[in-house]
Amino acid sequence: MTSLEPTPALSQPAKADAFRQMHAGGAVPLVLVNVWDAASARLVEKAGARAIATSSSAISWSLGFPDGSHVPPGLAFDALRRITAATTVPVTADIEAGYAGADGAFDDGLLRQAVTAVLEAGAVGVNIEDSGGTSLTAVDEQARRISLVRGIAAESGVRLFINARTDTYLSGQSGDSAFEETVERARGYLAAGADGIFVPGVTDLHILHELSRRIPAPLNALAGVGSASVGELHDAGVRRVSIGGNAAKAAYATVSRVAAEILGDGNWSELAGSPSHAEMDALFSGEAGSPGVPSA
């Protein structure tokens, strides 16, 4: 197996503190382009990212598994180690529901293993969601799990940023009931030690604004085609914007178009604009600004 040694510009605790400050507000929110492997991480960093987030769905697809806690945790954490080794900016990891089983068979020991693996990989944040089973986890139980994550991180000396994801809107709820349950869950998760709240499935700026007013922590929104602009999201109170698996889907759409064209009429035009072989190698060559990930 390839040995990947990170060469960070900052220590892990310093990266954790810097990442935390990125949520403090300002002229623009923290925008995260989610990645799934070392090359996507390097390209996103090269584009000017202040921090990098992984996408659990994208990592799962890249390894041959559907989204939804189906990928073996060891494979997911191996991908995370490669990502953190390939970049110098703070990395936050999507750990789904903690890779610790569904509600009826949730294992605290497995959650501890997952958080420990994240910290050992060099990441400084996690997303953890409350939809690990067939329905939303009870608020008190999810808060207990978040408290456990906070305790494990404290033992490590790293101020891990816990972004608590609630899937109230993705679960099919809507209207006032979804809004009030989201606020209730957010407050319970924050009391347990979460640092930010992620509410995917909401694109309405009015709802986002009201959530930002009622939730006393940085609000994370999921964006994509058809979403409001970054500026509009910021004005609505959103402090963190991520795109989930959308970058991976765009990359795979390119593969599909290239293959269809070449296998169809034998035209090579879809390859136009691709980086050169030398440019791709330079991402990992140890040149200025590159962490110099060694080859196999």
Side-chain angles (χ1 to χ4, degrees):
M1 179 183 296
T2 301
S3 174
L4 302 180
E5 294 296 332
T7 56
L10 297 173
S11 68
Q12 189 179 10
K15 283 184 177 181
D17 290 341
F19 185 62
R20 184 173 296 275
Q21 285 300 314
M22 293 175 193
H23 295 78
V28 293
L30 171 61
V31 179
L32 297 169
V33 178
N34 302 72
V35 305
W36 59 97
D37 64 6
S40 59
R42 285 294 296 129
L43 289 167
V44 169
E45 180 181 14
K46 187 178 179 181
R50 293 187 289 160
I52 284 174
T54 68
S55 162
S56 61
S57 60
I59 288 176
S60 296
W61 299 330
S62 73
L63 295 170
F65 297 89
D67 187 23
S69 299
H70 295 288
V71 64
L75 293 181
F77 295 133
D78 185 55
L80 175 62
R81 284 189 290 271
R82 291 173 179 275
I83 288 165
T84 56
T87 182
T88 62
V89 299
V91 175
T92 182
D94 181 350
I95 61 170
E96 304 193 56
Y99 299 117
D103 286 352
F106 192 86
D107 187 324
D108 286 2
L110 292 178
L111 178 60
R112 174 174 286 275
Q113 289 179 25
V115 177
T116 299
V118 166
L119 292 164
E120 289 178 346
V124 298
V126 292
N127 272 23
I128 184 165
E129 62 196 51
D130 58 10
S131 59
T134 57
S135 60
L136 295 181
T137 303
V139 177
D140 289 349
E141 171 59 17
Q142 186 66 10
R144 187 189 69 80
R145 297 175 190 180
I146 290 170
S147 179
L148 178 58
V149 174
R150 173 55 63 213
I152 298 166
E155 293 169 7
S156 76
V158 175
R159 295 184 68 206
L160 191 74
F161 191 98
I162 303 174
N163 200 36
R165 168 176 152 173
T166 180
D167 285 356
T168 44
Y169 284 88
L170 293 182
S171 70
Q173 299 184 56
S174 61
D176 290 344
S177 64
F179 180 87
E180 292 301 332
E181 180 170 354
T182 299
V183 172
E184 176 191 359
R185 286 178 173 273
R187 290 180 173 173
Y189 300 164
L190 292 171
D195 300 291
I197 301 296
F198 182 24
V199 189
V202 179
T203 57
D204 185 291
L205 290 174
H206 174 70
I207 295 175
L208 288 170
H209 176 68
E210 290 303 307
L211 286 172
S212 73
R213 272 198 331 108
R214 296 277 301 276
I215 297 172
L219 179 66
N220 183 183
L222 182 67
V225 176
S227 296
S229 69
V230 170
E232 289 171 323
L233 290 169
H234 176 266
D235 290 345
V238 173
R239 293 296 171 260
R240 172 168 162 171
V241 180
S242 49
I243 64 170
N246 286 321
K249 287 186 278 188
Y252 293 137
T254 297
V255 174
S256 181
R257 289 194 300 270
V258 168
E261 181 180 67
I262 292 173
L263 297 173
D265 59 15
N267 191 310
W268 315 106
S269 63
E270 285 290 345
L271 296 174
S274 300
S276 69
H277 194 95
E279 288 171 325
M280 289 302 299
D281 276 350
L283 293 175
F284 307 105
S285 67
E287 296 175 359
S290 166
V293 177
S295 60

